[in-house]
Every structure is written in C-alpha cells, then in structure tokens.
Amino acid sequence: MIEISHVDKWYSSAFQVLKDCTTSVAKGEVVVVCGPSGSGKSTLIKCVNALEPFQKGDITVDGTKVNDPKTNLPKLRARVGMVFQHFELFPHLKIIDNLCLAQEKVLGRGHDKSVTKAMMLLDRVGLKEHAQKFPAQLSGGQQQRVAIARALAMDPIAMLFDEPTSALDPEMISEVLDVMVDLAREGMTMMVVTHEMGFARKVANRVIFMDRGEIVEDAPKDDFFGKPRSDRAQKFLSKILSH
Amino acid sequence: MLGNFDFDVIRRSLPYLFYEGMTFTLTLTALSALGGLIFGTAIALMRLSGYKTLGRIAGLYVDFMRSLPLVLVIFWFYFLVPYIGQWLTGASRPISVGAFASSLITFIMFEAAYFSEIMRAGIQSISRGQPAAANALGLTYAQTMRYVVLPQAFRNMLPVLLTQTIVLFQDTSLVYVLSIPDFLGAASKVAQRDGRLVEMYLFAAFVYFTISCVASFGVRRLQSRIAIIR
C-alpha cells in the first residue's frame, strides 16, 4: 500500500533530516514509527502524503508515485487520512462542518449525504451530541477524536497518525487510543508515529525505530519488544519503558 | 463673542451637506474599502505565494503606494487616467472618467496597499498546521485559502480592517483637490458662499469626529465580542 524507498531529505545543504529511508506498509498492516525527538519520524510520515517534499528516493501510495510532478496531489491526499499532533480542527467551523467541508468540496458529496456520514462517524467516536459546537468548546481528547472522524469521513485507504496523543493530557490519551485500536482491528492500514508503546504492543504488526534520520530498526512487533538488535533501540526502549 | 456667528447656516444647509456630501463620502468609503479589501487580499496572496517574481511585484507595488502622499496620487490620477484610457482603448481623445470614478479607483489602489499588509499579517497569524490539515484532506490551494485560511485571517484582522476603514473615511475628504462635493467639500462650498468659514468647518469637524468616534467604539465592542467567541 505504502512503499518508501531510499528517501533522502535535506532542510539545507548542511542538514539532512532523512537518510536513505526504506520501508513499506502493506494493506491492513499497522506500523508504528518511534524514536527520539528530532529523529525524523514526523518528517517521514509527512512525506508519505507529500506535505513535506523530499529530494531523493521514491514514495508510492497505492500505486501512485507521490514525488511524480504529474501526480494530482490533492486527489492522492484525499485518499490518505492524516491526524496531527495538534488536531488542527478548523476553529471557525462547527464540528459538523469540519467533517463536511472536504466531503463536499473534494469528494463532491451532497450536503445531506455528508451530514449523514459525519453524524455516523461522530457517533462512532462518541461525540454525536457535540456536532453543533465549535472545536474550542471541546477538550483535547474530544478534538482529536473529531480529527480522526474528519479523516475517516473521506473513506481513506490508509491513515497516517503524527503523534496523535503527544499534545494531550494523560487522562485523555486512552480515549483517543481506544478509537485507534478499534480502527486497527477493523483492518485499516495505519502508519502511526507515537511513543505509546502500549498501543504498539496491542495492535502493531511492525515497529520502525528511527534515529538521526535513519531507519535503525524495522522489525515485527514481537521481535522489536523481545530483542531489539540495535543498541540505540535498546537504549530508547529502556528509557521509555522503565516507568 | 459668539454673537457674530450664525449657526443657522448649518441648519439651512443640512440637506445639502448630508444628502449630497455625506452620501458621497460614505459611498466612496464603502466602495473603496470593499475594493481595497479584494485587491489587498490578492496582493497579500501574491506576496505569500512563494513565487519570487510575483511576490516582488506585489511588494514593489505596496512600497510604491505607501511612499506617495495620497493627495498627490488623487491629483495625478485624475489627470492621468483619461490619457491612460485613451492609450488603452486607442481612442482619439482622452476618455472622460469622471471625478467619482477617478477618485474611487485611486482610493481602491491606495487602500489595497494598506489592506494587503493587514491581510498578510492575518494570513501569517494562522498556524501552518491549518493549511497542512486542509491539504491533507485533499483541498486544493485555492480551496484551502477560501474555506480555511482567509475566513480565519479575516476574522482575526476584522478590528484592524475596520479601524483602517475609519481612517479611510477621514481620508476621503482629500478629494477636495478635485473640487468634488464630498461632505467636507460641500461644507466648504457653503462656507465660502455664505462667508461662514468658522461655523461650517467647526461643524464639519464635529461630524467627522462624532462618526469616527462612534465607529471606533463599535469596533472595540466587536473586538471584545470576537475575543469571547474564540
């Protein structure tokens, strides 16, 4: 579904954020990307739907080459859902309109159909009764669940999560993770940048560990948590699992 | 001392002052603000577009407009536009544009420069995550601007835009150089006809002051209401 091969990215000629990154996410697979901050994991995931450009290598999503100048990027992005660290709901629109905007303007769905779809998804994330509120009236966890529903409203073929729980208060993390676990169990293809190792243990098929722009380890979940091969991954794991 | 003044001249000239003068002033203000906002937004988008040449042209335009006294632009434009029109259409004689159209075009061009800076600040005040989220949903650049960025930028900047419009309302009085009867022009015509300069100019000042003051107060109230909604 997602093929990333030999991707290099420089912010300036001196600073390389991604070094020869190669990996893939198969249909229905859940891949967790972790690593210390500044390791390039968010940058990598943003390259997948071309929110970040990269200079070398190729990324293919469902057969479409992301870095081909002829690719219709809006069309491609409409098929890949993305959830951001800071939710990025549109603050000037009601929750329901946040969910309907892209359905109507991008997919060309009728208003009634969009509303039905939106309400179904809001119900699914447990926020049906908040449809007429504005994002600022919701808690962080609720906003992030709305953001997931907004992405799902586009009927994506895959979902990208960029540290979806990092900006949340601890007591709100689980309500977001629950939604993500359900999604994973339903067979959604997911690429998730997160430090939530509990989530990784529960639903991930593979774990990718990144450090200084490189993919240091790319292993099935059990191998990764059982016996990470690299020192850096071991160190990282011992730091975040020790408490 | 006030015995020498004839304040009745104000009452007698009220219909003329307001029906002709104030109508002209308010129409010019409203249309200039609207046009200035539309073109200003376009210029702001050009400057932020990432296309170097486009941005530079827009930047030069803004700098150029801001380095000239408004009176001078109004004056020159009035005399130049007929010739530019002649040149553009290939007509045999200068095209008569009329004082209103000429001053409206001038004000729109001038205000566009100021409004563009306000809108640019407004657009830059939106966090980069917003357009990223819109793009990630598949919205095109134009859709992202129209449905996500500009509505927020406009809302954030509304108080500043309105304050600039109040300044514009006062600046429209500069059309006196074209001897157009705007509110101030009308007042000064009556003043000179009846030899009541002090009375009329006092009254004009009072009217400008009152309207601007009330409008400023309204903007401040609006500002606090917007602040609560956010």
Side-chain angles (χ1 to χ4, degrees):
Chain A
M1 178 73 70
I2 300 171
E3 302 286 341
I4 300 172
S5 72
H6 305 292
V7 168
D8 286 292
K9 176 178 170 67
W10 288 266
Y11 272 136
S12 61
S13 55
F15 184 56
Q16 191 170 3
V17 257
L18 295 178
K19 290 176 199 157
D20 196 29
C21 292
T22 300
T23 188
S24 65
V25 182
K27 194 169 187 307
E29 204 176 19
V30 177
V31 172
V32 163
V33 184
C34 62
S37 62
S39 57
K41 48 197 193 307
S42 284
T43 309
L44 181 67
I45 203 173
K46 280 180 182 153
C47 286
V48 173
N49 64 353
L51 284 183
E52 291 271 1
F54 52 94
Q55 284 80 25
K56 266 172 92 178
D58 286 309
I59 295 181
T60 315
V61 176
D62 195 32
T64 310
K65 209 164 148 193
V66 173
N67 48 313
D68 187 339
K70 285 190 288 263
T71 298
N72 182 340
L73 283 180
K75 216 171 165 182
L76 174 80
R77 288 172 181 146
R79 303 177 64 208
V80 182
M82 180 146 198
V83 175
F84 296 83
Q85 182 176 1
H86 296 288
F87 332 133
E88 304 300 352
L89 295 180
F90 305 133
H92 61 300
L93 298 178
K94 286 179 183 163
I95 299 302
I96 184 78
D97 298 325
N98 262 279
L99 268 77
C100 288
L101 178 67
Q103 290 189 68
E104 289 171 25
K105 305 300 174 195
V106 177
L107 302 180
R109 245 179 225 158
H111 182 67
D112 293 342
K113 232 175 157 186
S114 304
V115 171
T116 313
K117 176 99 188 166
M119 289 312 286
M120 189 195 83
L121 286 163
L122 283 177
D123 190 30
R124 179 177 165 174
V125 297
L127 294 168
K128 204 175 175 181
E129 64 277 20
H130 297 287
Q132 297 302 323
K133 289 188 181 168
F134 284 92
Q137 294 169 291
L138 269 55
S139 73
Q142 291 172 327
Q143 288 191 48
Q144 193 62 301
R145 284 187 279 153
V146 171
I148 295 173
R150 181 176 70 178
L152 290 176
M154 303 296 285
D155 296 319
I157 52 169
M159 288 281 286
L160 309 173
F161 292 85
D162 182 13
E163 305 207 29
T165 56
S166 301
L168 293 176
D169 289 335
E171 76 268 24
M172 293 172 184
I173 290 176
S174 65
E175 65 187 57
V176 172
L177 288 180
D178 287 346
V179 172
M180 290 168 61
V181 168
D182 285 347
L183 207 54
R185 294 207 167 127
E186 279 167 28
M188 175 61 81
T189 308
M190 291 162 72
M191 190 167 173
V192 186
V193 173
T194 187
H195 291 141
E196 295 298 328
M197 288 303 128
F199 171 80
R201 278 217 165 109
K202 221 187 241 174
V203 293
N205 299 103
R206 273 175 30 241
V207 179
I208 292 172
F209 175 75
M210 288 185 73
D211 192 18
R212 290 179 219 148
E214 284 173 281
I215 293 181
V216 179
E217 195 141 346
D218 183 348
K221 168 183 62 175
D222 295 328
D223 291 359
F224 183 79
F225 287 113
K227 43 173 178 29
R229 279 157 292 177
S230 65
D231 285 353
R232 279 186 280 181
Q234 276 176 21
K235 240 186 200 159
F236 177 76
L237 274 181
S238 71
K239 264 185 200 151
I240 64 167
L241 292 180
S242 63
H243 51 88
Chain B
M1 174 209 154
L2 283 171
N4 292 335
F5 291 136
D6 170 22
F7 284 101
D8 194 51
V9 67
I10 295 168
R11 193 191 54 76
R12 278 180 273 128
S13 55
L14 274 183
Y16 172 63
L17 286 179
F18 280 91
Y19 284 129
E20 301 238 341
M22 195 46 92
T23 309
F24 180 93
T25 296
L26 290 179
T27 313
L28 185 59
T29 305
L31 292 180
S32 307
L34 190 69
L37 183 62
I38 292 168
F39 284 100
T41 305
I43 293 169
L45 288 177
M46 278 168 75
R47 289 195 84 170
L48 297 171
S49 67
Y51 295 106
K52 278 224 173 86
T53 340
L54 214 57
R56 200 158 298 159
I57 292 170
L60 274 175
Y61 175 81
V62 171
D63 288 341
F64 181 69
M65 276 302 173
R66 295 211 299 187
S67 345
L68 290 173
L70 180 52
V71 184
L72 202 66
V73 181
I74 296 171
F75 200 60
W76 269 113
F77 213 75
Y78 183 58
F79 291 106
L80 275 181
V81 163
Y83 290 98
I84 295 173
Q86 178 189 20
W87 178 67
L88 280 178
T89 56
S92 56
R93 56 177 65 196
I95 290 174
S96 105
V97 181
F100 179 73
S102 163
S103 53
L104 179 61
I105 294 170
T106 313
F107 273 105
I108 288 179
M109 282 174 51
F110 207 81
E111 288 307 311
Y114 285 90
F115 279 131
S116 81
E117 286 298 277
I118 297 172
M119 284 311 284
R120 187 161 76 115
I123 292 168
Q124 283 176 327
S125 74
I126 310 297
S127 81
R128 280 190 56 202
Q130 286 286 309
N135 287 336
L137 285 166
L139 293 168
T140 60
Y141 174 80
Q143 288 174 325
T144 300
M145 281 297 157
R146 178 165 166 208
Y147 298 113
V148 176
V149 176
L150 288 180
Q152 292 186 59
F154 184 73
R155 222 165 285 204
N156 288 355
M157 287 296 131
L158 193 58
V160 191
L161 289 169
L162 288 174
T163 305
Q164 178 64 28
T165 306
I166 295 172
V167 174
L168 166 66
F169 165 71
Q170 294 160 8
D171 283 351
T172 53
S173 61
L174 290 174
V175 293
Y176 84 90
V177 291
L178 307 182
S179 25
I180 296 175
D182 73 317
F183 183 73
L184 185 61
S188 101
K189 261 187 193 160
V190 175
Q192 285 173 15
R193 184 194 65 197
D194 296 357
R196 293 292 169 190
L197 295 174
V198 178
E199 293 91 329
M200 290 313 287
Y201 282 124
L202 262 180
F203 179 64
F206 171 75
V207 170
Y208 275 105
F209 176 80
T210 312
I211 292 179
S212 301
C213 240
V214 169
S216 297
F217 180 73
V219 171
R220 231 171 300 145
R221 287 219 20 201
L222 181 80
Q223 202 166 6
S224 55
R225 267 193 40 200
I226 292 178
I228 291 168
I229 294 168
R230 297 213 110 241

